[in-house]
Amino acid sequence: MEYKTIRDVKFGGQTVLVRVDYNVPMQDGKVVNDLRIRASLPTLEFLRAGGAKRIILISHLGRPEGKDKSLSLAPVAKALAGLISDVEYVDDVSGPDVEATVEKMKKGGILLLENLRFFKGEEENSEDFIREIIESTGAELYVQDGFAVVHRAHASTSAVAHELPVYAGLLLEKEIVNLKKAISNPARPLLLIIGGAKVDDKEPLIAKFKGLADQIVVGGKIAADGYKADERVYVADDFDEDGTGAKLDVGPVSTAKIAGFITDAKTIIWNGLMGKAEDPAYATASTIVAEMMGEKEDAETIVCGGDTTGFVENLVVEHPGLKYSLISTGGGAALEFLLGKKLPGIEALEIK
Ligand code: 3PG
Ligand code: MG
């Protein structure tokens, strides 16, 4: 897989169109987890410092049916403006309002356009749709930095590659490099830790890693529901229960066993919580896994999946010393990458 990154560009006053994934959790019109926004900052700072004239950001939010005001990117623009200077927002993606705002932008300024999915051209992967955006903004090159959306073949991830020169942003590069290393050339032992509630989502990952990993660990509700252990698959078998006998966290005996696998491993991929960790009473096993991974200095450590990364991010706020090779911003995209699937947003980057 060969692609160019923004490091390969000589910037000299270009207008750059950057696909980010600001599909962030919202509550009462406010961003409640800004991991994906913060993760985009290195690219934005790099473009600005490198001499980009204007930085135009495009993203989706949620799965709106038409122009659903509750899924406007306006609150996201506010959150972004709290993290980096000179951020503007327009409630459209092309046309006169966009053109007028672009015209007035400062050198190195950032403009976030409205939710791409307000327009059907986005999901239809329409070249006309992306061309209108390019014409209204005067974009001269395109940067893909929305790793979390590369599994979608949409106008802003796929058709755009027919219209502009394409480069990977720093977040995209970091995600690809770390995930790729873990599956194609891992330091061994390679340990996969699986948890969460939905066995159907995790089954393909477990199946794929039976041929790749040295050890697989299964915890969470999947283990509590009786997932079948085998030679390389250790399934937690003691649990902390509530008063009704519901198994809500991996218990101490299995946690100790899992801790042993973590100590030995040189590459660890973790997807899915070990218990009902939103309740602190049942967050013990997940906390131990997160802390042990974050303290390891001799291993590649990757955390993926929305619930798991959210949990780890919260822990890092309390314990800033915990370090991971990658807290992936991609939910579905990271899983599809680990499964070795072809991802349209990455294919669009490839040098043919
Ligand atoms: C995600 O959160 O998984 C990405 O932003 C993609 O969103 P989608 O599943 O609605 O395409
Ligand atoms: Mg999704």
Side-chain angles (χ1 to χ4, degrees):
M1 172 163 58
E2 256 192 276
Y3 53 87
K4 287 191 177 152
T5 78
I6 51 175
R7 279 188 249 276
D8 300 315
V9 185
K10 271 219 165 53
F11 288 100
Q14 300 94 329
T15 296
V16 186
L17 185 66
V18 185
R19 180 40 157 121
V20 288
D21 189 319
Y22 288 167
N23 184 23
V24 293
M26 309 270 294
Q27 222 165 43
D28 306 324
K30 283 215 176 84
V31 173
V32 290
N33 177 337
D34 66 354
L35 168 66
R36 287 181 176 177
I37 304 176
R38 280 183 289 112
S40 74
L41 296 176
T43 289
L44 305 185
E45 277 153 6
F46 184 96
L47 293 172
R48 180 174 275 177
K53 182 175 172 194
R54 303 180 180 110
I55 301 165
I56 313 291
L57 303 182
I58 48 175
S59 179
H60 71 286
L61 176 63
R63 294 175 177 174
E65 304 279 342
K67 293 184 188 175
D68 173 352
K69 273 249 161 66
S70 73
L71 291 172
S72 165
L73 280 168
V76 172
K78 241 187 216 149
L80 178 64
L83 298 168
I84 190 167
S85 62
D86 296 320
V87 173
E88 289 183 72
Y89 155 80
V90 193
D91 66 354
D92 210 337
V93 299
S94 63
D97 290 351
V98 173
E99 283 158 28
T101 312
V102 167
E103 199 56 47
K104 287 183 298 196
M105 280 173 78
K106 281 199 206 167
K107 175 150 197 315
I110 295 170
L111 172 62
L112 176 63
L113 303 181
E114 185 52 290
N115 190 345
L116 292 164
R117 291 188 185 170
F118 282 4
F119 307 88
K120 58 181 184 351
E122 168 64 359
E123 289 174 76
E124 287 172 353
N125 197 7
S126 153
E127 284 180 26
D128 289 341
F129 174 65
I130 198 70
R131 214 175 292 130
E132 282 167 24
I133 296 176
I134 293 167
E135 277 164 16
S136 291
T137 57
E140 294 154 278
L141 44 97
Y142 166 82
V143 174
Q144 172 56 283
D145 213 28
F147 175 72
V149 74
V150 291
H151 57 321
R152 306 290 179 222
H154 292 170
S156 66
T157 61
S158 178
V160 65
H162 303 292
E163 307 295 326
L164 291 176
V166 172
Y167 299 89
L170 302 179
L171 172 63
L172 198 85
E173 184 186 30
K174 180 179 170 187
E175 296 264 11
I176 293 178
V177 166
N178 280 288
L179 291 169
K180 199 176 165 212
K181 189 157 80 180
I183 52 174
S184 57
N185 188 23
R188 290 187 182 275
L190 165 60
L191 170 64
L192 174 71
I193 304 175
I194 291 290
K198 283 184 243 145
V199 71
D200 290 354
D201 291 357
K202 306 300 163 82
E203 188 69 63
L205 200 60
I206 297 171
K208 167 98 183 178
F209 273 75
K210 277 188 184 172
L212 269 179
D214 301 286
Q215 182 65 50
I216 299 173
V217 157
V218 178
K221 188 165 181 298
I222 300 173
D225 288 347
Y227 193 82
K228 206 170 154 297
D230 73 21
E231 203 192 334
R232 280 194 195 182
V233 184
Y234 170 75
V235 181
D237 56 9
D238 80 305
F239 299 92
D240 286 342
E241 301 178 2
D242 69 1
T244 71
K247 301 169 173 173
L248 296 180
D249 195 11
V250 169
V253 178
S254 293
T255 301
K257 180 99 180 156
I258 295 169
F261 291 129
I262 295 175
T263 300
D264 293 343
K266 290 280 185 288
T267 302
I268 307 172
I269 303 171
W270 180 24
N271 176 253
L273 292 164
M274 295 291 100
K276 199 177 165 238
E278 69 268 25
D279 181 343
Y282 303 109
T284 307
S286 298
T287 304
I288 289 172
V289 169
E291 287 181 347
M292 286 191 73
M293 281 179 69
E295 282 162 5
K296 271 184 94 76
E297 282 169 1
D298 58 342
E300 168 88 4
T301 48
I302 296 176
V303 184
C304 56
D307 293 341
T308 319
T309 57
F311 179 81
V312 168
E313 284 272 309
N314 286 337
L315 204 66
V316 170
V317 174
E318 284 170 53
H319 306 283
L322 299 173
K323 300 271 185 265
Y324 304 84
S325 309
L326 180 70
I327 298 177
S328 179
T329 56
L335 292 185
E336 291 195 20
F337 192 102
L338 291 171
L339 288 172
K341 292 197 181 160
K342 284 207 182 305
L343 303 175
I346 292 179
E347 292 201 299
L349 288 168
E350 276 175 43
I351 298 167
K352 308 261 156 53

